[in-house]
Amino acid sequence: GTGVAPLRSLILERESNRPNNPSADACDVRLIFGCRKKDTDFYYQEEWGALELTKRLQLWTAFSRDQWHKIYVQQLMGEQKEMIIDHTLKQGGAVYVAGGAKMARAVKDELIEILGDALGDPKQARLHLKRLQKQGKYAVEAWS
């Protein structure tokens, strides 16, 4: 839903700077987006679809109320753990989380589990997230 607006602004800023960026063709934006219903809550579907077509955005979606079993962002994270490990540990990518406080906690827990498996210890995953946060590469905007 609307919780993704701060992240959308980062994506749009990145797009506006692409002409000045020599690696403009690289797909460096990965978004795992979740909302209740695709038909009523997926506000930027066309915009992000266009970015996907140009290979400048990778998008995974979780619509929690469109089927009998709920699908959440943190579940998709588990399915995309290799991408998350590559993005955060190997490429030094950033992680931004925006949305409800309950979702943000669940996403952090999943991130710690994924990184903990890769680093061999959940404590190391927490330390890595703290380092990312100090570098401005891990930020959470959550509300209840």
Side-chain angles (χ1 to χ4, degrees), residues 2-76:
T2 57
V4 78
L7 301 177
R8 178 180 176 252
S9 68
L10 292 173
I11 292 169
L12 291 176
E13 178 184 13
R14 206 166 178 84
E15 279 302 300
S16 71
N17 290 327
R18 278 198 186 273
N20 303 322
N21 183 350
S23 63
D25 293 334
C27 179
D28 55 359
V29 178
R30 292 159 185 90
L31 176 63
I32 301 176
F33 171 78
C35 62
R36 290 183 178 175
K37 294 184 171 279
K38 180 179 181 178
D39 291 341
T40 57
D41 300 323
F42 194 12
Y43 301 124
Y44 310 116
Q45 179 178 2
E46 289 179 22
E47 188 175 301
W48 291 341
L51 289 174
E52 272 191 298
L53 288 175
T54 60
K55 306 282 189 224
R56 293 194 312 260
L57 172 74
Q58 285 181 290
L59 176 67
W60 295 268
T61 55
F63 303 108
S64 63
R65 304 297 192 276
D66 280 350
Q67 60 283 316
W68 66 271
H69 64 286
K70 295 179 181 178
I71 300 173
Y72 295 108
V73 166
Q74 58 271 24
Q75 290 169 298
L76 289 183

Side-chain angles (χ1 to χ4, degrees), residues 109-137:
D109 290 345
E110 185 66 25
L111 195 54
I112 289 170
E113 184 174 329
I114 291 168
L115 297 178
D117 288 347
L119 295 169
D121 181 10
K123 184 178 179 180
Q124 291 301 313
R126 286 185 194 88
L127 289 172
H128 185 71
L129 284 182
K130 285 183 182 181
R131 280 192 298 272
L132 289 177
Q133 190 171 23
K134 286 181 182 179
Q135 296 168 0
K137 289 185 172 185

